[in-house]
Amino acid sequence: MERERVSEAVIRRLPGYYRYLSQLERGGMKRISSQELGSRMGLTASQIRQDINCFGTLGQQGYGYNIPELRARIGEILGIGQDRRVALIGAGNIGQAVAQYPGFLNMGFRIRYIFDVEKPPVGEKIAGIRVQHINLLEEELSANPPDIAVLASPAEKAQSLADRLIAIGIRAIWNFAPMDIVVPDGVAVQNVQLTDSLLVLSYHLNKLEYRDE
Amino acid sequence: MERERVSEAVIRRLPGYYRYLSQLERGGMKRISSQELGSRMGLTASQIRQDINCFGTLGQQGYGYNIPELRARIGEILGIGQDRRVALIGAGNIGQAVAQYPGFLNMGFRIRYIFDVEKPPVGEKIAGIRVQHINLLEEELSANPPDIAVLASPAEKAQSLADRLIAIGIRAIWNFAPMDIVVPDGVAVQNVQLTDSLLVLSYHLNKLEYRDE
């Protein structure tokens, strides 16, 4: 698949590359140098080359990168377009926002199940999917577990729901509950802490105000 | 405020420190060594010490860090509890999720204004705030611009809305539109791309499956 041990920092930059290259491709651009890609993305040319070299030989010295080719390769590395089956746990505001987020679908992530505890939304349809009671989780999913679970529950339920999902055989959890969950080896997790980026913004605002004084 | 030029990577780790220290403090713990803090946060002791040293002398050699003191200091650096006035632009799913996100309020970020274009939600109340039409943006905010705008509009409106917010005098934008916005010097922005963490998760899921084969 790729050379071993790609650092997490490189992985985290890949979605940004993908988005930016997609934008260039839509604009009809065919080639880009590491210098130009770097300056647009706030990275050095050498960092760009290092990042991309992790995944094999993709550019040509003096010719830069072929944009559609590089975008397709990064998309493949990120598993875009694999038609992943997704279960959404928790149909509150965040869950609904995720279920209806543009781009989610056309990257190949398809919500097939939605669970909640309250009625409504249990019994209603969201994004075309009937919301089921969480008590049916094991019954509905065990035979053919979805690839990914989106966990959008209150903080205090997050770990026990994650444990149930893992017991069913789900191997990737995208966690929006405001509490990091812990998973065993062999299960992937991304703990999204929405307020983290707000605090980074707040830090920068403070610095700007301090500069004014 | 702090020693100059703290790297963005350090800043991005601060909210995690804050969350983790808050959790320890709630659990009644008083002190922690850089080794222990590091092992719980997946960082080396030396990285922890380097990060925290950016903000002055906070630990004591051989005694570790005073948890309530360190938490309070990091909270101060991040601007937590400053009673920031926030305007929300776009009251769709994501906007509503943000408006009602737990923790947002008790960190001192208070939504005072909500704007949208459609009716409803224009005229309705969300989180106790009457949603106003976006046409009233300048009239309502110019005299006393909020500290922070949360931008939760469709991608194609994001940049022009950001330009209007900046023209009014808003200096920090938390952007959830699925399109990075560009701001001039003197304005802070955090472009949140929700799907980035999904793609990182998808990458790790692919690796797990590859390992199985």
Side-chain angles (χ1 to χ4, degrees):
Chain A
M1 185 181 178
E2 83 244 5
R3 299 179 196 177
E4 263 321 287
R5 292 280 101 215
V6 177
S7 87
E8 199 60 27
V10 176
I11 310 304
R12 292 195 173 280
R13 283 195 286 272
L14 292 181
Y17 285 124
Y18 184 82
R19 260 188 290 118
Y20 187 57
L21 291 165
S22 301
Q23 199 181 312
L24 294 179
E25 193 177 342
R26 280 194 302 272
M29 204 166 150
K30 295 278 179 270
R31 300 202 144 269
I32 192 164
S33 67
S34 49
Q35 284 80 357
E36 201 179 342
L37 187 54
S39 81
R40 301 220 197 175
M41 294 198 60
L43 299 165
T44 66
S46 117
Q47 195 167 19
I48 297 274
R49 285 193 297 266
Q50 271 179 39
D51 283 5
I52 292 174
N53 278 343
C54 293
F55 303 98
T57 315
L58 279 156
Q60 222 185 322
Q61 187 108 45
Y63 288 87
Y65 298 105
N66 176 309
I67 290 170
E69 206 174 286
L70 183 59
R71 185 204 52 78
R73 179 74 184 105
I74 293 176
E76 185 192 350
I77 292 163
L78 291 173
I80 291 173
Q82 287 191 6
D83 210 358
R84 291 293 196 180
R85 297 164 62 244
V86 178
L88 169 63
I89 318 299
N93 282 310
I94 296 219
Q96 295 202 30
V98 170
Q100 290 163 26
Y101 198 69
F104 193 79
L105 237 170
N106 53 35
M107 290 193 305
F109 300 92
R110 293 171 209 288
I111 296 199
R112 296 289 176 89
Y113 301 91
I114 305 180
F115 296 91
D116 202 294
V117 281
E118 293 187 51
K119 190 182 164 89
V122 171
E124 291 185 344
K125 275 193 169 182
I126 294 173
I129 307 289
R130 180 83 56 194
V131 182
Q132 301 187 82
H133 195 279
I134 191 72
N135 287 348
L136 298 175
L137 189 74
E138 285 77 7
E139 193 180 319
E140 286 289 323
L141 304 188
S142 296
N144 185 14
D147 303 297
I148 296 172
V150 181
L151 188 47
S153 72
E156 64 278 11
K157 304 274 165 122
Q159 187 65 54
S160 68
L161 283 167
D163 295 343
R164 285 171 68 183
L165 291 163
I166 293 164
I168 291 166
I170 283 174
R171 301 191 64 187
I173 301 179
W174 196 23
N175 176 33
F176 283 87
M179 159 74 80
D180 286 358
I181 57 167
V182 180
V183 299
D185 190 43
V187 178
V189 66
Q190 285 287 304
N191 288 301
V192 180
Q193 289 282 353
L194 280 186
T195 44
D196 282 10
S197 58
L198 173 63
L199 293 179
V200 172
L201 182 68
S202 165
Y203 168 86
H204 286 295
L205 178 59
N206 275 3
K207 288 224 19 161
L208 285 173
E209 290 173 343
Y210 181 75
R211 202 176 70 177
D212 292 341
E213 277 164 16
Chain B
M1 186 180 179
E2 83 246 6
R3 298 180 198 177
E4 264 320 289
R5 292 279 100 214
V6 177
S7 86
E8 199 60 26
V10 176
I11 308 304
R12 292 196 173 278
R13 283 195 287 272
L14 293 180
Y17 285 124
Y18 184 82
R19 261 188 289 120
Y20 187 58
L21 291 164
S22 302
Q23 199 180 313
L24 294 177
E25 193 177 344
R26 280 195 301 271
M29 203 167 151
K30 295 279 180 267
R31 299 200 146 271
I32 192 164
S33 67
S34 48
Q35 284 79 359
E36 202 179 342
L37 187 53
S39 82
R40 300 218 198 179
M41 295 198 58
L43 299 165
T44 67
S46 117
Q47 195 167 20
I48 297 274
R49 285 193 297 267
Q50 272 179 37
D51 282 5
I52 293 174
N53 279 343
C54 294
F55 304 99
T57 315
L58 279 157
Q60 222 184 323
Q61 186 105 46
Y63 287 88
Y65 299 104
N66 176 309
I67 290 171
E69 206 174 285
L70 184 58
R71 186 204 51 79
R73 180 74 184 104
I74 293 176
E76 187 191 347
I77 292 162
L78 291 173
I80 291 173
Q82 287 192 7
D83 211 358
R84 290 294 196 180
R85 299 163 62 243
V86 177
L88 170 62
I89 318 299
N93 283 310
I94 297 221
Q96 294 202 30
V98 169
Q100 290 164 26
Y101 199 68
F104 194 78
L105 237 169
N106 53 34
M107 290 193 306
F109 300 92
R110 292 172 210 289
I111 295 197
R112 297 290 175 87
Y113 300 92
I114 304 180
F115 296 91
D116 204 293
V117 280
E118 292 187 51
K119 187 181 166 91
V122 171
E124 291 185 345
K125 274 192 170 184
I126 295 173
I129 308 289
R130 180 81 57 194
V131 182
Q132 301 186 80
H133 195 279
I134 192 71
N135 287 348
L136 298 174
L137 189 74
E138 285 77 8
E139 193 181 319
E140 285 290 321
L141 304 188
S142 295
N144 185 14
D147 302 299
I148 296 172
V150 181
L151 188 46
S153 72
E156 63 277 13
K157 303 274 164 121
Q159 187 64 54
S160 68
L161 283 166
D163 295 343
R164 286 172 68 181
L165 292 163
I166 294 163
I168 290 165
I170 283 173
R171 300 191 63 189
I173 301 179
W174 196 24
N175 177 32
F176 283 86
M179 159 73 81
D180 287 358
I181 57 167
V182 179
V183 299
D185 190 43
V187 177
V189 67
Q190 286 286 305
N191 289 301
V192 179
Q193 288 282 353
L194 280 185
T195 43
D196 282 9
S197 59
L198 173 63
L199 293 179
V200 172
L201 181 69
S202 165
Y203 169 87
H204 286 295
L205 178 59
N206 274 3
K207 288 223 21 159
L208 286 172
E209 289 171 345
Y210 181 74
R211 204 176 68 178
D212 292 342
E213 277 163 18

